Amino acid sequence: MAENWFPCQQEWLRLCRRIKSLTHRDDAEDHLQTALANYYERAKDDVTHPEAYITRSALNLHLNDLKKASSRLQSFSDDRDITLEIEDPGPSQEDVYASGQRMDRFHEGCRQLPEKTRQAFLLNRVEKMKYREIALTLGMSESSVEKHIAKALVFLASWMDH
């Protein structure tokens, strides 16, 4: 059996390369395998050129796949009206309005903070500066920066809840 395997493998690879070169697709081996199975299911007397039969069958399977994909695309484009009825996953107008109200309340809370606390908080949260950079910018210690930011967070959390 082993002595018959290598020539069969070489023939398989040759046919596979031929189908890939004709279809330019990665599923050539799948089509070739199906075509070969179809060949073995047929009566051998009906096929005079097995290699040509298998190659043509694999190409036909490829073409059938292309037709199916094309009809799915056509079906999808025919269903455009249905697609328009899909619910918008974005926020509702009410949610957008409520979010704007919360943001306005947050901004008002930020204006209520003492100047140094507001500066430290905004430099950290908006400008994404590290405590060390903020300390150098505002001329204070890192510990003071930490305290100002903690104070801002506590105040704003309480402010937003009321």
Side-chain angles (χ1 to χ4, degrees):
M1 173 140 175
E3 62 276 356
N4 293 334
W5 179 78
F6 187 72
C8 290
Q9 182 186 25
Q10 294 299 334
E11 184 66 18
W12 174 266
L13 291 173
R14 191 178 63 71
L15 278 172
C16 194
R17 279 192 300 273
R18 176 186 286 167
I19 301 302
K20 278 185 180 179
S21 72
L22 293 170
T23 63
H24 305 289
R25 293 198 25 170
D26 292 333
D27 57 359
E29 195 165 357
D30 294 338
H31 293 313
L32 181 58
Q33 197 171 27
T34 303
L36 192 61
N38 291 342
Y39 169 74
Y40 283 118
E41 289 174 359
R42 286 184 68 94
K44 304 293 185 282
D45 299 337
D46 293 351
V47 178
T48 54
H49 300 288
E51 184 179 326
Y53 173 83
I54 293 168
T55 302
R56 184 75 247 168
S57 294
L59 288 174
N60 287 342
L61 289 166
H62 164 71
L63 292 173
N64 290 343
D65 275 358
L66 290 178
K67 286 178 189 174
K68 285 177 189 173
S70 174
S71 71
R72 278 194 300 266
L73 285 174
Q74 181 62 40
S75 173
F76 175 75
S77 66
D78 290 344
D79 294 339
R80 279 186 304 225
D81 297 333
I82 294 171
T83 305
L84 295 176
E85 295 172 11
I86 294 174
E87 187 176 318
D88 185 7
S92 68
Q93 289 181 351
E94 293 85 8
D95 292 340
V96 171
Y97 177 76
S99 177
Q101 293 294 315
R102 282 191 302 277
M103 189 58 77
D104 289 344
R105 179 132 178 93
F106 175 76
H107 285 281
E108 181 58 34
C110 284
R111 285 190 287 276
Q112 300 296 318
L113 292 170
E115 183 64 26
K116 288 278 187 188
T117 303
R118 181 176 55 250
Q119 286 178 332
F121 178 75
L122 293 176
L123 287 172
N124 179 253
R125 299 302 167 125
V126 176
E127 300 297 326
K128 306 294 184 199
M129 291 175 69
K130 298 189 182 308
Y131 288 0
R132 184 176 342 124
E133 297 169 322
I134 297 169
L136 291 171
T137 302
L138 298 179
M140 60 175 74
S141 68
E142 282 186 56
S143 173
S144 293
V145 171
E146 288 178 31
K147 289 175 187 169
H148 280 290
I149 292 173
K151 181 179 175 182
L153 289 171
V154 168
F155 174 79
L156 290 171
S158 173
W159 177 265
M160 295 301 289
D161 286 341
H162 292 96

